[in-house]
Amino acid sequence: MEMEMPESESAQELPSEEEMALIRDIAVSAEAHAKEGDIFFLITNRWWQSWIQYVIQDSAGVTSNGSHQHECSSNTPRRPGAIDNTDLLDDVASEVSSTDIELHDTLVEGRDYILLPQQVWEKLHGWYGGGPMLQRKAINTGLSQTDLAIEVYPLRLQLLLMPKGEEAVIRISKKDTVHELHKKACEVFDLVPDEVFLWDYYGRTKHALMDNLEKTLDDANIQMDQDILVEVTTDANGSLDGGCMSSTQENDYFERSSTWTVDASKSGFSSENLASISYVSRSYSSILVQSQYLRSSNGDLDNVPDTVGVTTRGSSSGLTGLLNLGNTCFMNSAVQCLVHTPEFARYFREDYRCEINWHNPLGMVGELALSFGELLRKLWAPSRTPVSPRPFKTKLSRFAPQFSGYNQHDSQELLAFLLDGLHEDLNRVKHRPYLKSKDADGRSDEEVADEYWANHIARNDSIIVDVCQGQYKSTLVCPICGKVSVTFDPFMYLSLPLQFTSTRSMTIVVFTCDGSAPPTPYTVSVPKQGRCRDLIQALTNACSLRNEERLLIAEIRNHRIHLILEDPVLQLSTIKDDDHLAVYRLPKLEKRASYIQFVHRREDLDQGNNSSSTSWKPYGVPLLAQISRNVTMTGSDIHGMAYKMLLPMLRNQVAQHSAVQSSLSTRTQSYHTDSSKFSLQLIDDSNTVIEHTNYAIRVPQSSLATVIFINWSKSDLKKVNTNHLEHLPEVFKYAPPAKRTRGEPLSLYACLDAFLREEPLVPEEMWYCPRCKEQRQASKKLDLWRLPEVLVIHLKRFSFSRSTKHKLETFVNFPIHDLDLTNYIANKISQRQIYELYAVSNHYGSMASGHYTAYIKLLDENRWYNFDDSHVSAINEEDVKSGAAYVLFYRRVGEPDGAASNRTQLSVKRNHRSSQR
């Protein structure tokens, strides 16, 4: 379905460089004003790349001396023809209108299509014509107005009408309400709205009556390709006809009935392939990125994969890729590592259903195990066609809402959920006994550890435990009474730190209250497990605090003092890296102090008001003054305090001509010079102006009770160096660590040493000492006691703060062969503990816009491959090590191949025989 190019447009061809400049300007404008509800258009990447080649041809044809080569080259790209989006369409799709057109299920942004804002599409379509038009809508996917995504695929829902047994397939936006779904169902089946009730019918089971008509389908946890039961009442009382019908009877209706399928997508743009946009690096901003890339790369368009599948030798299975459904590379990487774990590959390709624990309340009624097993079998099938993980993703979203949607997630977090969820679905223990481990009472570690492990196995027995679980020895020591507590706990994986300094760098700005110095930032080093008194001592030394002075630490939020940190034993770990702290340098007082907080406000012209009235907007860092309680203050006193503190921030001070004249009296005189004269308008919190008089002003006698606003006019604000007030640094500004040279890599063994090092518990994990009968910050020491067949090691590359997540790009030198953990085992067993690497989950780029791949060694070929979503390619072993390595998978070496899995197979058969008796 193509649209003809309008004559008026076709007759006005612009030079290619003007086309590119115009499109870039439109894209930049659209980016700046992006909002929820904006319309975007899909355009085939094939046509888009031909247009990119065409519009940059002049730049590529510029010679070194700046002149153009006028000779026509046979390689010069020609002006593209009409836009042809038919390669994005399903072959069996109806072409009644643009909203009724079905897209291929496996389209990937950047490879198959590009998303363009409406203004860009209209301009290109006006120039070139063609079609069909494939429009989609931007929706809000989070709390912030900037959390936008484009719904490329609507929710596809199966409507099941009862009691007639008719069926229909519709598409609808995940952001549409239940009311809109109800209306659409009535239109499809020609029903009377008052007689229709909708049920969440996931798995052909009534989960919930969808009676909250204002709730969105996203909030109602409705998933792609699930069933919705449409129930019709027939009596006057409004009771549900068939409401007591069993699920079996309901299913019989639909099995007997003929299927009527209709595409009723009139409004929806939901998201199986939810293409997230960050308006910087994705979607239409690729207009800028790609043109710059192509210009610098002489037109090389190979940055976007153009094929799927693999090109590898032989006929080995296990070389099948996974399609990216939209930011699902994190899931694909984790899944590929698990399905290529030999013990799991063998287990799930045999009959494991006899081990499913259908009634485990901690599990997913077997659905996660069945879905994972089905996906694994597809990936190990002889076919090389990439597999769509959509059914597995649907189950995953159902049981783990944190992974719903199509935003970027953490592959390690998914691995942790999968291993735990598969264990619960496959737990051979149907009725868990209650067991309590006994105190050691002088018994040997070996005896106590075996008892803990036996109790664990009595409640947890699955293929996951057989293969992946090991055991820690955990030793806690009370710092007060010396009580020692030893426990032996199971673990599924090791999370190793990549930086383990015992100190912490903190940056804080010090403000003076006597006008002796401008606000000054200090960066100090404090113990990572230190207390507030350590920070005060470090700042005391840094700013040369006098004996008659003291420091007051305050956390600043929203241009006010949010919290004063007065407790000297407060743990510094409670201060986050992205906090903003100000320290006020105050005189020591004999009596208790009251405080006056001066909050800055500047003029904010209200454009929405016809009178253009001026409002006052808070900004900057507040100033703090203190007075002795019960001291009478006047308006002149308060004005004087503010002037005194602001003096060092004034521009063009006359007092600066003599550095030696630094007395308070000299500084005060500078207020009356022409160059720095300004008037302060002080307003109290009741909006009353504080006059410069000797009238007494009552100051409340409680900490920070008095807030006085300094209203700055635009002219007076120019006389102040606002850098001191506006830019309060974070406690710690993250910066990537310096790259290590090849001569000094961080060893995996060093990470393991840091992980097992004794250290005090963090305040959130205080230990209750049974001897002291109180919570204590005990010291904790971990040791490895029992190692699993498959050892999963997570490298902690991400550090967290309140609002951000930073990544460490540290290169870790991990062994591919002969990882020797013999000396790390506290349980001195006779055999050596040697491991071999077989899989790596890699993370490239930042957390927000990163990409995951998997490096996997096929044991039957003894060769490494890169699994990058749908693309699988062979790589050299020396390329496996990189700074992107995130999760490492090791197998124990030394035991005959398959011994552990042989034990598992025997267990499966044993349980299967038991179930048949």
Side-chain angles (χ1 to χ4, degrees):
M1 168 180 162
E2 292 197 10
M3 300 182 181
E4 296 298 326
M5 182 167 54
E7 250 180 69
S8 59
E9 291 284 356
S10 62
Q12 300 178 2
E13 288 189 10
L14 296 176
S16 59
E17 64 271 16
E18 290 187 28
E19 281 193 16
M20 182 171 68
L22 187 56
I23 291 298
R24 180 185 287 114
D25 291 343
I26 296 173
V28 170
S29 176
E31 175 181 353
H33 301 92
K35 63 184 182 303
E36 184 177 6
D38 284 353
I39 300 299
F40 289 78
F41 287 79
L42 279 77
I43 189 168
T44 174
N45 190 50
R46 175 180 46 78
W47 188 93
W48 173 254
Q49 296 296 348
S50 67
W51 180 80
I52 288 288
Q53 287 279 31
Y54 165 66
V55 296
I56 68 167
Q57 62 179 318
D58 285 349
S59 300
V62 175
T63 63
S64 59
N65 62 6
S67 62
H68 284 267
Q69 297 176 350
H70 296 286
E71 299 89 298
C72 292
S73 168
S74 60
N75 295 326
T76 300
R78 296 182 178 180
R79 180 180 174 85
I83 299 170
D84 182 7
N85 282 332
T86 55
D87 59 339
L88 303 180
L89 308 182
D90 194 319
D91 295 336
V92 298
S94 167
E95 296 189 359
V96 177
S97 68
S98 62
T99 54
D100 290 325
I101 297 175
E102 274 289 309
L103 301 176
H104 280 302
D105 277 350
T106 58
L107 299 181
V108 176
E109 183 186 2
R111 184 195 72 193
D112 302 309
Y113 65 88
I114 299 293
L115 286 163
L116 303 178
Q118 183 172 1
Q119 303 93 318
V120 174
W121 164 264
E122 288 174 350
K123 186 60 66 176
L124 288 174
H125 188 261
W127 291 335
Y128 294 94
M133 291 190 293
L134 305 171
Q135 67 182 50
R136 296 295 184 260
K137 188 181 296 183
I139 63 171
N140 188 282
T141 59
L143 299 176
S144 169
Q145 292 300 315
T146 61
D147 292 337
L148 299 179
I150 300 172
E151 290 186 300
V152 174
Y153 289 91
L155 276 178
R156 182 169 46 214
L157 302 178
Q158 175 104 341
L159 303 183
L160 307 176
L161 181 62
M162 194 176 73
K164 291 186 177 181
E166 295 177 352
E167 300 183 13
V169 175
I170 67 167
R171 285 195 180 269
I172 187 169
S173 170
K174 67 186 291 186
K175 291 299 181 182
D176 280 345
T177 62
V178 172
H179 172 73
E180 289 159 330
L181 174 61
H182 186 275
K183 179 181 177 182
K184 193 176 291 288
C186 293
E187 292 174 354
V188 168
F189 294 121
D190 193 19
L191 303 173
V192 178
D194 292 343
E195 299 177 354
V196 175
F197 293 85
L198 300 182
W199 290 85
D200 179 348
Y201 202 50
Y202 179 82
R204 300 268 171 133
T205 302
K206 287 184 178 179
H207 285 276
L209 179 64
M210 301 173 67
D211 54 355
N212 186 345
L213 298 182
E214 301 305 316
K215 181 179 288 189
T216 67
L217 301 181
D218 192 21
D219 291 337
N221 200 23
I222 301 302
Q223 304 294 322
M224 177 70 75
D225 287 330
Q226 82 159 73
D227 296 329
I228 300 293
L229 184 64
V230 182
E231 233 172 3
V232 183
T233 61
T234 57
D235 61 11
N237 296 325
S239 61
L240 290 178
D241 181 58
C244 58
M245 189 175 294
S246 69
S247 296
T248 303
Q249 290 173 307
E250 290 165 1
N251 290 336
D252 287 344
Y253 264 112
F254 302 120
E255 289 171 3
R256 292 195 304 267
S257 66
S258 60
T259 300
W260 172 38
T261 302
V262 59
D263 189 342
S265 59
K266 301 294 183 183
S267 62
F269 315 107
S270 190
S271 62
E272 174 195 339
N273 208 359
L274 192 71
S276 298
I277 55 174
S278 60
Y279 296 120
V280 174
S281 61
R282 291 177 61 84
S283 302
Y284 59 80
S285 61
S286 58
I287 296 170
L288 310 179
V289 175
Q290 290 196 34
S291 62
Q292 292 168 356
Y293 172 84
L294 291 168
R295 182 174 299 201
S296 63
S297 303
N298 297 321
D300 182 8
L301 287 174
D302 290 337
N303 61 314
V304 179
D306 56 354
T307 59
V308 296
V310 294
T311 54
T312 54
R313 61 178 176 81
S315 57
S316 298
S317 58
L319 289 175
T320 303
L322 282 166
L323 292 173
N324 191 320
L325 306 179
N327 283 329
T328 55
C329 57
F330 78 98
M331 180 183 74
N332 293 349
S333 174
V335 166
Q336 291 285 17
C337 290
L338 287 183
V339 301
H340 285 89
T341 298
E343 291 81 357
F344 294 158
R346 197 175 289 115
Y347 177 86
F348 283 100
R349 288 156 76 185
E350 296 181 355
D351 184 12
Y352 63 92
R353 295 169 186 258
C354 60
E355 291 207 332
I356 291 180
N357 193 330
W358 304 101
H359 304 291
N360 185 358
L362 299 179
M364 291 78 175
V365 293
E367 291 193 32
L368 184 66
L370 289 171
S371 180
F372 178 80
E374 183 63 26
L375 181 59
L376 182 146
R377 292 182 182 214
K378 289 180 180 178
L379 291 173
W380 278 99
S383 172
R384 298 290 181 83
T385 304
V387 173
S388 172
R390 186 175 64 201
F392 176 75
K393 177 69 166 62
T394 300
K395 297 289 186 184
L396 181 68
S397 300
R398 185 79 183 184
F399 295 111
Q402 66 269 32
F403 299 116
S404 62
Y406 291 83
N407 294 324
Q408 183 68 275
H409 294 285
D410 190 315
S411 69
Q412 186 273 330
E413 293 176 359
L414 176 66
L415 277 167
F417 171 80
L418 274 180
L419 289 172
D420 186 63
L422 291 172
H423 159 66
E424 296 296 352
D425 265 5
L426 299 168
N427 195 349
R428 302 172 188 122
V429 180
K430 302 303 187 281
H431 303 285
R432 295 186 174 185
Y434 175 76
L435 299 169
K436 185 177 181 181
S437 298
K438 303 174 185 176
D439 290 335
D441 290 333
R443 293 181 294 163
S444 67
D445 282 349
E446 289 77 9
E447 181 182 350
V448 177
D450 287 345
E451 181 183 279
Y452 269 88
W453 188 253
N455 289 348
H456 174 65
I457 294 299
R459 295 172 53 83
N460 303 276
D461 183 15
S462 70
I463 178 65
I464 306 299
V465 176
D466 293 343
V467 175
C468 291
Q469 284 199 353
Q471 189 179 29
Y472 290 130
K473 175 186 177 183
S474 177
T475 305
L476 294 173
V477 181
C478 177
I480 306 301
C481 70
K483 167 68 176 177
V484 178
S485 173
V486 177
T487 57
F488 293 86
D489 305 309
F491 69 85
M492 194 86 76
Y493 51 86
L494 303 179
S495 287
L496 306 186
L498 299 193
Q499 57 180 13
F500 33 84
T501 176
S502 60
T503 60
R504 177 186 182 187
S505 177
M506 303 181 76
T507 299
I508 297 173
V509 177
V510 176
F511 292 78
T512 62
C513 67
D514 62 0
S516 60
T520 305
Y522 293 95
T523 299
V524 295
S525 182
V526 294
K528 183 175 287 187
Q529 300 296 331
R531 302 178 184 272
C532 204
R533 62 193 176 204
D534 299 309
L535 176 57
I536 292 174
Q537 184 59 52
L539 289 170
T540 296
N541 298 334
C543 69
S544 302
L545 195 72
R546 296 188 292 269
N547 290 333
E548 65 274 14
E549 294 178 313
R550 69 186 182 99
L551 298 178
L552 189 70
I553 304 174
E555 181 184 351
I556 308 300
R557 290 190 197 175
N558 300 321
H559 311 292
R560 289 200 184 196
I561 294 178
H562 171 70
L563 183 66
I564 288 184
L565 309 178
E566 292 186 287
D567 185 358
V569 298
L570 178 70
Q571 289 280 346
L572 291 179
S573 57
T574 61
I575 300 175
K576 306 301 181 186
D577 284 347
D578 59 347
D579 284 345
H580 297 266
L581 298 187
V583 169
Y584 297 97
R585 189 168 177 166
L586 305 169
K588 292 179 180 177
L589 297 179
E590 295 181 1
K591 299 180 179 179
R592 294 187 65 188
S594 290
Y595 300 105
I596 299 177
Q597 181 185 177
F598 292 93
V599 177
H600 304 280
R601 298 196 300 195
R602 60 184 171 191
E603 291 181 88
D604 184 33
L605 190 62
D606 187 358
Q607 302 294 340
N609 194 320
N610 293 332
S611 63
S612 296
S613 60
T614 299
S615 60
W616 296 97
K617 181 179 180 180
Y619 90 105
V621 186
L623 303 177
L624 188 70
Q626 72 173 1
I627 59 173
S628 297
R629 296 197 176 183
N630 303 320
V631 171
T632 301
M633 298 294 295
T634 66
S636 296
D637 294 332
I638 294 176
H639 274 265
M641 287 180 177
Y643 277 122
K644 190 185 300 183
M645 289 186 286
L646 288 168
L647 177 59
M649 288 173 264
L650 294 182
R651 303 180 187 274
N652 303 320
Q653 296 182 56
V654 172
Q656 290 179 350
H657 78 279
S658 176
V660 297
Q661 296 181 355
S662 59
S663 67
L664 183 58
S665 60
T666 302
R667 288 181 178 274
T668 305
Q669 290 172 7
S670 69
Y671 284 112
H672 306 294
T673 64
D674 292 336
S675 62
S676 60
K677 185 183 294 183
F678 68 99
S679 59
L680 287 180
Q681 184 182 17
L682 303 184
I683 310 291
D684 65 17
D685 55 2
S686 62
N687 212 31
T688 302
V689 176
I690 298 178
E691 300 290 349
H692 202 299
T693 67
N694 292 322
Y695 291 114
I697 293 180
R698 180 181 175 275
V699 177
Q701 304 301 304
S702 60
S703 177
L704 291 182
T706 303
V707 174
I708 295 177
F709 298 103
I710 304 179
N711 285 358
W712 288 93
S713 66
K714 291 183 179 178
S715 59
D716 281 342
L717 198 56
K718 293 179 181 179
K719 299 176 182 179
V720 178
N721 185 351
T722 57
N723 285 333
H724 295 302
L725 295 175
E726 288 187 294
H727 303 294
L728 192 64
E730 294 180 355
V731 167
F732 177 76
K733 186 66 176 178
Y734 172 78
K739 292 185 178 179
R740 293 172 176 266
T741 65
R742 290 188 175 271
E744 52 166 353
L746 177 61
S747 166
L748 183 66
Y749 293 110
C751 298
L752 190 57
D753 289 334
F755 175 71
L756 300 176
R757 184 177 296 134
E758 182 176 358
E759 60 182 13
L761 294 173
V762 296
E764 295 80 11
E765 298 178 0
M766 298 282 274
W767 173 60
Y768 181 79
C769 176
R771 185 179 295 169
C772 296
K773 309 295 184 185
E774 289 187 24
Q775 297 288 335
R776 299 295 189 196
Q777 188 181 16
S779 62
K780 183 176 183 178
K781 175 72 170 72
L782 284 179
D783 292 291
L784 300 179
W785 186 266
R786 189 188 308 264
L787 290 179
E789 297 299 321
V790 168
L791 179 62
V792 182
I793 297 178
H794 163 226
L795 303 177
K796 297 174 71 172
R797 292 198 174 275
F798 299 106
S799 60
F800 300 86
S801 60
R802 180 179 289 112
S803 58
T804 58
K805 200 174 188 181
H806 300 303
K807 182 186 176 185
L808 297 172
E809 301 286 353
T810 309
F811 175 78
V812 178
N813 185 15
F814 51 89
I816 295 178
H817 306 283
D818 299 329
L819 172 65
D820 191 349
L821 300 179
T822 307
N823 295 332
Y824 288 91
I825 300 297
N827 180 17
K828 298 306 178 184
I829 52 182
S830 57
Q831 65 267 34
R832 297 178 65 200
Q833 300 291 305
I834 308 296
Y835 284 82
E836 188 99 352
L837 186 74
Y838 72 90
V840 182
S841 175
N842 301 296
H843 182 276
Y844 300 90
S846 67
M847 190 59 201
S849 58
H851 180 68
Y852 287 92
T853 68
Y855 292 161
I856 294 170
K857 182 178 182 179
L858 263 64
L859 299 183
D860 58 344
E861 289 191 25
N862 197 28
R863 187 174 184 182
W864 284 90
Y865 290 89
N866 177 22
F867 287 74
D868 186 356
D869 289 331
S870 58
H871 294 260
V872 182
S873 57
I875 60 172
N876 296 321
E877 185 173 274
E878 56 266 26
D879 296 327
V880 171
K881 293 184 182 182
S882 75
Y886 186 39
V887 185
L888 311 175
F889 292 76
Y890 283 92
R891 293 184 75 227
R892 196 201 305 272
V893 177
E895 191 174 33
D897 184 44
S901 51
N902 286 337
R903 291 197 302 271
T904 300
Q905 293 176 46
L906 290 174
S907 176
V908 171
K909 293 174 182 177
R910 182 179 64 250
N911 283 275
H912 182 58
R913 286 195 299 268
S914 298
S915 64
Q916 291 178 325
R917 289 193 183 104

